[in-house]
Structure formats: structure tokens, C-alpha cells
Amino acid sequence: MSAGGGAGGWELDRIVAELRRARRAGTSAERCTSRGELPSREALVGIVAGLRAALYPAHFGPPDLTDEAVDYFVGQTLDATFRALHEQVRRALSFDAAHGVGSRDDLPARAEALTRELAARLPRVRSLLDTDVRAAFEGDPAAKSVDETLFCYPGVTAVTHHRIAHELHVLGAPLLARIIAEIAHANTGVDIHPGAQIGASFFIDHGTGVVIGETTVIGERVRLYQGVTLGAKSFPVDESGVPIKGRPRHPVVEDDVVVYAGASILGRVTIGKGSSIGGNVWLTRSVPPGSMITQAQARSEVFADGAGI
């Protein structure tokens, strides 16, 4: 490689050397982990596609798939997908061990056990997703069919990724879960942390800009519209000022709640069963079951008796 970089004059030798120095001075993760042991985002895109095809072969399998061939296709797809997932789980466990979480002992066996457990949970994931898809169809008068919601709705796509990511998170592969969540985030504009606990018949309408934090707990038959944030109000820190991980800091949303566009619900508050939270509301307190909170109500409470001024 010439110093001048050939006809382009890119000075590649100098740039490569400077990038090498930057890597050596980089983060501890970059110094202590070989590139070969990092999970592959591209592989996980394919793995999620394989799982979606196995869960809904009529929609995401080959267009000429016949009834007689469905089970064969599902079996072949799952076999290839689980083999690929096993390798990504092994890499993720190796990555964790390099950062002091767990050990490097028996990585292939541990990865196989985790992958087998995810496989065993797939029928339950499918059952949950069926309730989500039905909720999307029944909750949107513009939806002409259940098939349309599966093919087209970003909220359904995001929730599908979340159902898979959440199982991986619970089973002990949080890095893979987070990558899968961010794949959905990039594609749909919906940001759901894989740690969030979400009940059946969950519907995100339109989707763009929805944020659901790590310790959020959502009940059944909950509906969110675009721009909703279920976030944290504050972060407890240790003596060094570093946020303490894992503390419950996001809302609990009980069954049959509707949260309209642009609303922000912050902190470990509880939104009671059957409540309706209006558009653009900023809410940092719990509300009892059956509440109807509007922007005007929230504003009047904030400024009552001079508070908030």
C-alpha cells in the first residue's frame, strides 16, 4: 500500500496507522475482546427473519408454500435458525465472560442449553403474538384483515421482535436481546427495551417514536399510540455518580389502558386498570383505575396554588 494511496491520494498508510493507534487507546471492551467473539448483527437479522418465518410460514415463508410442505419448511427453517442462533449465543456468552460476567467454561454446552430453552418457548411466543395481531386488527378500524396487520404494521413488527428479545433477555443473553430490539427500533421507530414485561393483546398503533423502558410492566389489552414514552423520571446513582443498574424506575401500566399520542409517563408510577391517558399529557404520578387524564387536567394540577411556577 503506497503512502499516497494511489490515484485517489487517500494517504491510506497514515490513516490505517492512526486508526490502529486509536484502537489501542480505545475502550476496554475493544482491547480485551477479539472481533471473532462479538455477536454479528447481520446474523441476528437473519435469525429473526427465520424465526418469523417459522412462526408465520404463510406470511413470511416462500410464496409457493403448500399446506403439505408447511411442517417440513418450519422444521428445516428452525434447524438452520437454531444452529445460527447457537453460535451467536456462544459468542455473546464469551463476550460476557470477557467482561467479568460468567465464565468461559463449557460455552458451547451452555449456548446449546439456552438455545434449546428458547426453542421450547416458541409455541408460547406464537400464542402471545396471535393475541397481539388480533388486538391490532380489532383496535384499528383502518385494518382490513389480520394479514394486513402482520405484513404492514410497524407496531406488530416491533412487538414480534420484542417477544423474541424478551425471552433471550430472561434466559441470560441480554446483549443478543438488545441487538434484536435495536434492529426493530431502526426499522420501525419503536424502541422497546427487551427487559420490559408486556402482557397479551398489546397494540402499538402507528408506532413511530414510542419508547418503553427496561423495567416497564404492561398488563393485558393495553394500547399505545405514536410518540408515547414510558420512561424514567430520575436515576439513582452510587457514590461515584454512576447510575445504579436494574432498579425499577419505569411505569406499571395495568390492564385495559389506552395511552394516546405524545403522552409521557415517567417514573415508577402505576396507571390503574381501564384508564385513558390523553395526548401530550406529562404524567409523573400514579392514577387510580378508571381515570381519564387530559392535557388540561394535568396542566391545572401542575400549576395549582402556584406549584410548578
Side-chain angles (χ1 to χ4, degrees):
M1 186 185 304
S2 70
W10 313 126
E11 298 185 350
L12 292 183
D13 286 351
R14 176 182 62 79
I15 294 169
V16 168
E18 289 181 4
L19 287 173
R20 182 173 62 251
R21 286 193 293 272
R23 287 196 304 274
R24 289 174 176 172
T27 65
S28 59
E30 205 167 12
R31 289 197 300 271
C32 72
T33 307
S34 70
R35 179 64 182 89
E37 293 300 308
L38 287 170
S40 164
R41 182 185 177 97
E42 292 75 17
L44 287 167
V45 168
I47 287 165
V48 173
L51 292 175
R52 288 183 79 196
L55 289 167
Y56 291 99
H59 297 82
F60 303 112
D64 57 350
L65 190 63
T66 63
D67 290 343
E68 294 78 12
V70 168
D71 285 347
Y72 177 80
F73 167 78
V74 170
Q76 289 291 99
T77 301
L78 287 178
D79 182 63
T81 300
F82 289 144
R83 288 176 187 273
L85 179 60
H86 173 266
E87 172 59 16
Q88 296 308 309
V89 172
R90 188 196 65 78
R91 288 174 176 235
L93 294 177
S94 175
F95 179 89
D96 287 345
H99 291 76
V101 180
S103 72
R104 292 186 179 277
D105 296 339
D106 301 321
L107 283 177
R110 288 162 52 207
E112 181 174 350
L114 193 154
T115 305
R116 285 183 181 277
E117 182 58 32
L118 178 70
R121 296 184 181 199
L122 274 189
R124 183 166 64 87
V125 170
R126 162 75 200 227
S127 295
L128 267 176
L129 285 171
D130 283 347
T131 70
D132 301 326
V133 173
R134 175 59 58 177
F137 173 65
E138 294 176 350
D140 185 3
K144 301 298 187 291
S145 67
V146 170
D147 303 290
E148 180 184 355
T149 65
L150 260 173
F151 278 128
C152 305
Y153 280 35
V156 172
T157 299
V159 173
T160 301
H161 280 67
H162 175 75
R163 297 294 189 195
I164 296 167
H166 181 70
E167 296 300 335
L168 285 168
H169 180 88
V170 170
L171 289 171
L175 178 59
L176 296 189
R178 193 60 186 269
I179 294 171
I180 290 172
E182 291 305 324
I183 290 168
H185 184 193
N187 290 336
T188 67
V190 177
D191 183 1
I192 310 176
H193 192 285
Q197 301 175 49
I198 300 178
S201 300
F202 180 55
F203 176 35
I204 302 175
D205 200 359
H206 304 295
T208 305
V210 167
V211 176
I212 302 174
E214 176 189 16
T215 62
T216 302
V217 179
I218 296 176
E220 297 186 353
R221 300 174 299 280
V222 169
R223 185 177 2 151
L224 309 181
Y225 285 84
Q226 69 272 18
V228 166
T229 296
L230 304 179
K233 183 180 178 183
S234 60
F235 307 95
V237 297
D238 60 21
E239 302 84 7
S240 304
V242 177
I244 299 173
K245 308 289 186 180
R247 294 276 183 90
R249 60 194 184 279
H250 300 100
V252 176
V253 180
E254 295 184 344
D255 298 346
D256 302 302
V257 169
V258 179
V259 186
Y260 287 96
S264 294
I265 304 173
L266 306 180
R268 193 61 166 186
V269 299
T270 297
I271 307 303
K273 179 178 180 178
S275 294
S276 176
I277 310 302
N280 298 314
V281 164
W282 180 275
L283 194 58
T284 58
R285 62 174 176 82
S286 295
V287 299
S291 297
M292 295 186 66
I293 308 298
T294 67
Q295 189 179 19
Q297 290 171 328
R299 183 182 295 114
S300 66
E301 290 174 1
V302 168
F303 290 98
D305 300 321
I309 297 178

